[in-house]
Amino acid sequence: MFVVRGGRPLRGRVSVSGAKNAALPIMAAALVANGTSVLHGVPDLVDVTTLSSVLRSLGMNVDRRPDGAIALSTCDEQRCLADYELVRRMRASVCVLGPLLGRRGRACVSLPGGCNIGHRPIDLHLKGLRALGAKITIDRGYVFARVDRLVGADIYLGGSFGSTVTGTCNVMCAAVFAKGITTISAAACEPEVVDLGNYLNAMGAKIEGLGTPLLRIEGVDDLNAVEHTVIPDRIEAATMLIAAAMTGGRLQVDNLVPAHLAGVIDALRMMGVMIEIHDHTAIVTAPDTLRALDITALPYPGIPTDVQAQFTALLSIAEGISVVTDKVFPDRFMHIPELMRMGANVRREGACSIIAGIKTLSGACVMASDLRASAALLLAALAADGESVIRRVYHLDRGYERLELKFNKVGADIARVVDQPETMPASLQLSEEEQQPLAVDSSDSPPPPKFLSRRESGQPKFK
Ligand code: EPZ
């Protein structure tokens, strides 16, 4: 767990790591390559470790080199089972489905488990792969897929919540080998999907339209491994910008792609945050007062759903009423009850949360529920008066590369400690007196009302 001493402005320079949500599908796509892929900028995260185990179980060598690069190569193409015991730890493991079908013609992948941010179906993934000729059945919690020859098709991948990021990745990784032309409309435009497409094209694929909702893919027979550097993590970058804004600080955030953060930067500027952009660096300065703002999380280039919780934390100390809506994951509000423990004034209304900003949050013990909720709670604790404890920070470790060390270098006071009674800060413990039931002091308060029976009060008996 984290013990955080809040109220300290963040000041200095931080650098953004490589994007988790680009690294994961790109690592999975290494399954389709002849030879050894070498990936640079892959962050050292629990999710990366989990996917590495899944890929090894699928007959891949996966090695982190001394220089930090990850080398991936195939050693056994016969293994096509992505087991539940591994997939349940990270639903993004489903990203191996498309590459396995594309390269090996068959796959047996456990359906991803549940998730704290809402329903996570893969019906669109399967729709796209079936359109390419795959025979797919679902049995005992597994997707069984087989195809003799993938054939190009016109595929619409839009769902009731917009496009699907990993769905687009899966279908793209199969379509690159499909005979003829494949079009994917309502494709996801996220930078991470573009990064995957660029990696596939560098290996010899023929994908056009990356970053637009319409992809055109001409099938090829073979793809040869290349070196590739993963794009910076726009979600971590946004988390850092918000951290500076929340703590009244001034941060220089290096290694980011401003174009990937247009919606986030615009929203922060509308809240009064000063942001200067210089190439791949942003200098963010917190205003004296944050202005309330209505935020809607949408597919790219909208404000990312993965930053919705962090924005909610920021808006909880803005001046005025804000409404936050998540059109991608309408149930992604597990962070709200925990923020309320810190004094936030938030009300959930369906797919929205209504926030009445307060001056300052106050430290408390809170519990992380998922990756981005834990980031939001950490930001809130950094901004809060007093000490906070955040439990289950293993959620944070799935998607951020030692974020507490990065923040501590710029003025934060975050200690990662073992969760046990002696590590609970004294300031968060109740005193002896507070632990006693409230004794009524007869001298200065009226006696509690005496409840009279009907007879004593002269009331008629019930008929
Ligand atoms: C990716 O998840 C990201 N994960 C998520 O980041 C991110 O929140 C999400 O995209 C949206 O941007 C990775 O890239 C590893 P979707 P993904 O398929 O691909 C519905 C994080 O914190 N849908 O784009 O699983 C779905 O229910 C994680 O880093 C279907 O209905 O998300 C959701 O409402 C959390 N049918 C919406 O579409 C499908 O077949 C978007 O989901 C697939 C999705």
Side-chain angles (χ1 to χ4, degrees):
M1 74 182 193
F2 282 165
V3 175
V4 183
R5 290 175 182 78
R8 306 157 67 99
L10 300 187
R11 289 200 182 92
R13 285 182 70 170
V14 288
S15 185
V16 178
S17 301
K20 166 179 83 81
N21 291 347
L24 296 176
I26 288 172
M27 287 173 67
L31 279 160
V32 306
N34 295 321
T36 300
S37 294
V38 177
L39 305 178
H40 300 277
V42 176
D44 181 12
L45 303 172
V46 168
D47 275 7
V48 169
T49 305
T50 302
L51 184 61
S52 299
S53 304
V54 172
L55 293 173
R56 289 189 188 103
S57 73
L58 291 168
M60 295 281 287
N61 294 317
V62 185
D63 302 299
R64 177 81 76 169
R65 291 181 172 175
D67 66 354
I70 288 194
L72 302 101
S73 59
T74 295
C75 58
D76 176 359
E77 290 207 309
Q78 297 311 308
R79 291 151 69 176
C80 292
L81 166 64
D83 190 74
Y84 173 67
E85 283 315 307
L86 285 170
V87 173
R88 70 185 177 84
R89 282 189 237 154
M90 182 188 64
R91 51 175 325 286
S93 308
V94 75
C95 279
V96 302
L97 186 54
L100 283 174
L101 262 184
R103 172 73 189 221
R104 303 183 186 177
R106 66 193 197 294
C108 176
V109 179
S110 166
L111 279 169
C115 185
N116 277 332
I117 64 174
H119 188 31
R120 307 292 294 274
I122 61 167
D123 57 303
L124 297 173
H125 299 233
L126 304 185
K127 172 187 177 185
L129 296 173
R130 284 188 173 111
L132 294 170
K135 301 285 178 282
I136 294 177
T137 55
I138 291 180
D139 183 24
R140 285 161 287 160
Y142 281 86
V143 175
F144 293 86
R146 177 176 289 279
V147 67
D148 299 324
R149 182 82 173 99
L150 291 160
V151 179
D154 294 324
I155 302 166
Y156 176 75
L157 265 192
S160 41
F161 300 96
S163 48
T164 164
V165 172
T166 49
T168 303
C169 294
N170 261 332
V171 175
M172 202 161 57
C173 285
V176 293
F177 291 117
K179 187 172 181 332
I181 302 294
T182 297
T183 62
I184 303 175
S185 42
C189 304
E190 273 68 6
E192 294 77 21
V193 176
V194 175
D195 201 25
L196 169 64
N198 289 336
Y199 166 64
L200 291 168
N201 280 344
M203 290 201 282
K206 294 177 180 175
I207 306 168
E208 296 169 2
L210 288 168
T212 77
L214 179 60
L215 300 179
R216 182 183 182 279
I217 303 169
E218 183 180 343
V220 297
D221 293 330
D222 257 334
L223 294 177
N224 297 310
V226 294
E227 291 208 36
H228 181 83
T229 300
V230 166
I231 58 171
D233 194 318
R234 62 193 170 105
I235 307 303
E236 185 190 23
T239 305
M240 292 170 164
L241 297 178
I242 293 173
M246 272 193 90
T247 57
R250 186 174 194 277
L251 273 186
Q252 176 171 326
V253 182
D254 296 324
N255 191 37
L256 55 73
V257 180
H260 293 170
L261 288 154
V264 168
I265 291 170
D266 178 67
L268 289 172
R269 282 174 170 159
M270 289 171 75
M271 292 180 66
V273 180
M274 281 76 73
I275 301 179
E276 302 162 47
I277 301 295
H278 307 282
D279 296 332
H280 288 82
T281 289
I283 297 174
V284 51
T285 307
D288 294 335
T289 304
L290 291 160
R291 290 193 290 267
L293 184 71
D294 292 350
I295 297 265
T296 300
L298 288 165
Y300 191 83
I303 289 177
T305 174
D306 293 348
V307 189
Q308 182 260 106
Q310 298 92 312
F311 265 113
T312 301
L314 177 64
L315 290 165
S316 72
I317 56 172
E319 193 171 72
I321 306 283
S322 306
V323 178
V324 174
T325 308
D326 196 321
K327 296 276 193 187
V328 181
F329 289 111
D331 291 327
R332 193 173 194 169
F333 292 106
M334 295 281 283
H335 45 286
I336 287 179
E338 298 305 310
L339 289 173
M340 292 172 73
R341 283 180 55 76
M342 301 176 81
N345 185 347
V346 192
R347 194 175 80 243
R348 170 82 188 273
E349 286 292 334
C352 300
S353 62
I354 299 169
I355 306 162
I358 60 170
K359 193 92 184 89
T360 311
L361 294 166
S362 53
C365 294
V366 291
M367 184 93 73
S369 55
D370 59 83
L371 167 55
R372 306 305 174 179
S374 46
L377 294 177
L378 180 57
L379 297 185
L382 289 173
D385 271 350
E387 293 177 300
S388 297
V389 161
I390 304 174
R391 288 196 164 93
R392 298 187 181 175
V393 292
Y394 57 81
H395 289 292
L396 195 78
D397 296 335
R398 291 191 46 193
Y400 290 93
E401 206 172 20
R402 297 311 304 263
L403 189 58
E404 80 274 17
L405 299 183
K406 292 188 179 183
F407 282 155
N408 285 342
K409 280 185 186 155
V410 290
D413 181 348
I414 307 166
R416 184 187 286 258
V417 299
V418 175
D419 184 354
Q420 55 195 17
E422 46 272 31
T423 52
M424 179 62 68
S427 64
L428 289 178
Q429 296 180 20
L430 296 182
S431 64
E432 280 296 312
E433 185 192 356
E434 286 169 324
Q435 291 179 42
Q436 302 307 322
L438 284 179
V440 176
D441 178 357
S442 55
S443 60
D444 59 5
S445 60
K450 182 175 179 311
F451 292 100
L452 303 175
S453 69
R454 298 191 70 81
R455 182 172 50 75
E456 287 168 327
S457 62
Q459 294 291 324
K461 284 192 185 313
F462 288 110
K463 296 293 178 215

